[in-house]
Amino acid sequence: MSDQRPDPDQLLSRLNEAEVRAKRGKLKIFFGASAGVGKTYAMLGAARLQLLQGVDVVIGVVETHGRMETEVMADGLEHLPLRDIPYRDRILREFDLDTALTRKPALILMDELAHSNVAGSRHPKRWQDIEELLAAGIDVYSTVNVQHLESLNDVVSGITGIRVWETVPDKVFDAADEVVLVDLPPDELLQRLKAGKVYLAHQAERAIRNFFRKGNLIALRELALRRTADRVDEQMLQYRRDQSVSPVWQTRDSLLACIGTSVAAEKVVRTAARVAGRLEAPWHAIYIETPALQHLSEESRHRILRNLKLAEELGAQTATLSGSAAEELVVKYARDHNLSKIFVGRDHPRPWRPWYRSFADRVGQRAPDLDILQVARADTDRDPGKAVRERVGDSIFDQWPAYAKAAAGCALAGLAAAMLFPIVDLPNIVMVFLLAVVLVSMRYGRGPGVLASFLSVAIFDFFYVPPRFSFAVTDVQYLMTFAVMLVVGLITGQLTAGSKYQAKVATRREQRVRSLYEMSRDLSAALMPEQIAEIGERFIVAELGAKAAFLLTDDNDRLQPALPSANGLPAVDMGIAQWAFDHAEAAGQGTNTLAASPILYLPLKAPMRQRGVLALEVRDTDRLLIPEQRRLLDTFASLIAIALERVHYVEVAQNTTVQMESERLRNSVLSAISHDLRTPMSVLVGLADSMFLTQPPPTGQQAEIARSLKEEALRVSGQVNNLLDMARLQSGRVELNLQWQPLEEVVVSALKVLERAFAEHKIKVSLDDNLPLINIDSVLMERVIYNLLENTVKYTPPGSSVEIGANVRERVIEVWVDDNGPGLPEGKEEVIFKKFERGQPEGATRGVGLGLAICRAIVEAHGGEIHAENRPQGGARFIFTVPRGNPPLLDAEDVAEDEEVH
């Protein structure tokens, strides 16, 4: 009977985890297939039950979406005040994390787990706020829909045709202490939609036509149910591990395929895959290496690796185990993973060994609660006896030096016994030979140990048992001595060889763990991508004996050539590397994609995005087929990707800090300079005007000087105003005075100011007759149009044509300014909107390069966009958009009144 006691290391690990969990708050997620199933309502109901039990409950964030029954459930619960955050032209309200941590309730409600916080919040995502609350020991209730889970986001978008951008990492969902599935049949949900209990009437109609189609709801419901079932299955497995439960619980069908050394193993794998597919059940495939199988032929090893790779391709979770008793390891693996059905190949009958029991019988005897399914072998399979004989023969031939040394060791034991023979009795002589058997088994393994056992008995009989120098035995009692000596020698040799094998396996595992630890430690201290590449290459060479090349991405997510290496680079194919990067899948050697390539390409996948590609040229290609080696390699790639992402964000944080300080300093300087210059410029303009009021008035050259002085003062005053406006816009202190205005009046007002400037240009206005009212700050929007028109005057020659127009799009009003001048410099279409950037080098054209920057700041403050482009027929075009919105309806009396006035 196998020892079912729990592993002490696992017990200690579980105690440490329990201690950490005891200090953290508990996360309970109310999970649904879509909006409207009642997650928030269920969360509030559960919170009210906690309140009745005396628990301190507060609402951090609850989105009722105007649903009356949800608002009623929220009444009576304490609401934490939200934090006001300025964002562009408005004030948005977000969850105040600091207030919640100071208040520190026992339970806080945080609706919409996947919510993205407004820029300026401590964390970009609400689930990160919740992590900080949990770390402070506060319990949290939250809600999430299935389409917001990161791993299912693309699946849901493929079903519904709608991509959801707010997602939650699956690790957050899996780490929740409890998940409550809030389920509602599709017909009932559609009924709630039509009744206006989910969205307003006009929104509900659009939702039913798009996202909330019945087929979509059925598919989403299945996804939610399956994801919940997977989580429950993981919880059940974790409970079994924590409680050291031995019997398999047949809660769902799950399969285990045992891969052997024969050619029939492939049939076992394919049969298990077919059955798993029909049952829609998870399945595993394992190979167990026992001491007797250490010296397999190359053909057999290749066959085993191919079968393991085949099992992986067919969807199995694979593993290679090591031990002396294969059936014991199979049963333990099946119990640990709760696998109820075991597939094994059927053994051939062995009439010459009537005592032999098949592998299936041995497994069935150890685990009568498991289903053992034997897969039939083909008649063309080789005779197992012949295979064993060939294997034993090959092993002896390959290890003949070890067998020769075993024989030499027995001869030395015989010489030592000869020296001791006159002094000690025969029973003590036996100990010398048993010591030789132990030493040979420890040094050379099981086979030489068996040989040493037989040779020791033979030498002892021939040289030391009377009559000496003969195998004849005169005393029958020595037959018992021989038998016991042989049995003890065989058992001792077997145990010693087995212990040596287990020590070798443990050393190999410890070496892998140590390598991972040392690599993660060194990577945590790296500060540059080059250092990370050097550390990664060093460990890959040491563990895999492979050449490595690191192809990292630039700021635009474009794959760059490999970093230089002191050990030389493999011949990297950039096409294959780009494919692996684009598809986030391994390619090249040992994979199903471009397998003829001699190099393996692994994408460096970090939590946020891909950081590049790792290219490996492995000398021993068979090592890539071993599941443990491939998992070790994947772990190396993951550690390197995480280190690269850490370095990237450290650099981003540093650059952002420097940029923020630079912007703050620049805005302070601009504000100070503009304020200091504004008053002198106004005085200069006033003095220029007063010169025309003097008596006698200036004439001739004096009047021209006065006019030039006034114009220059006005121009400089305009530039100072631009500086001041830019500083105010960048600081966020400008609040828009939004009113519903006709765009026509704003355009006319800007043209009137520029009437003199357009004296030598042809101006054309093309406004759509059906332009609606738009919600804008008319003063600032007039400034945008003024700056764009003034820009065309500056950079187009006299006599050029300028056209300003506007039309209605689906959701925006589009306004453009065209000219037929020289156009924009190639490649500067975006640069000219930056501060102090000009379309042309310094020259006769006046200005400091702030006009277009102010335009962008104002347009974006209105929620719009602005860009520039060259026209195919020549000249430049500036286009900006503002949201169309829902303008108010005019009463009939107001319309009639307006018509009478006009």
Side-chain angles (χ1 to χ4, degrees), residues 722 782-792 851 854-855:
N722 279 343
E782 179 184 332
R783 185 65 176 275
V784 172
I785 296 174
Y786 173 89
N787 284 356
L788 292 177
L789 292 173
E790 184 192 35
N791 196 67
T792 61
I854 291 174
C855 290

Side-chain angles (χ1 to χ4, degrees), residues 740-775:
W740 292 99
Q741 302 279 353
L743 183 63
E744 296 91 335
E745 294 184 3
V746 179
V747 172
V748 169
S749 179
L751 288 172
K752 184 174 290 187
V753 175
L754 287 165
E755 190 172 357
R756 288 185 58 192
F758 273 110
E760 298 180 353
H761 287 71
K762 301 173 184 176
I763 185 72
K764 179 182 178 182
V765 179
S766 303
L767 301 178
D768 195 328
D769 294 335
N770 298 318
L771 284 177
L773 299 177
I774 54 176
N775 196 24

Side-chain angles (χ1 to χ4, degrees), residues 7 90 168 205 223 241 262 278 290 329 429 460 538 562 588 600 632 749:
D7 187 335
R90 64 191 74 179
V168 176
E205 292 177 5
L223 284 176
R241 296 188 191 104
S262 71
R278 293 193 189 103
T290 62
L329 289 175
I429 297 295
F460 178 70
R538 185 172 74 243
L600 173 64
L632 178 66
S749 179

Side-chain angles (χ1 to χ4, degrees), residues 150-166:
E150 184 67 51
S151 63
L152 297 176
N153 184 256
D154 58 336
V155 178
V156 174
S157 65
I159 294 171
T160 63
I162 298 173
R163 184 69 179 268
V164 177
W165 296 106
E166 290 187 325

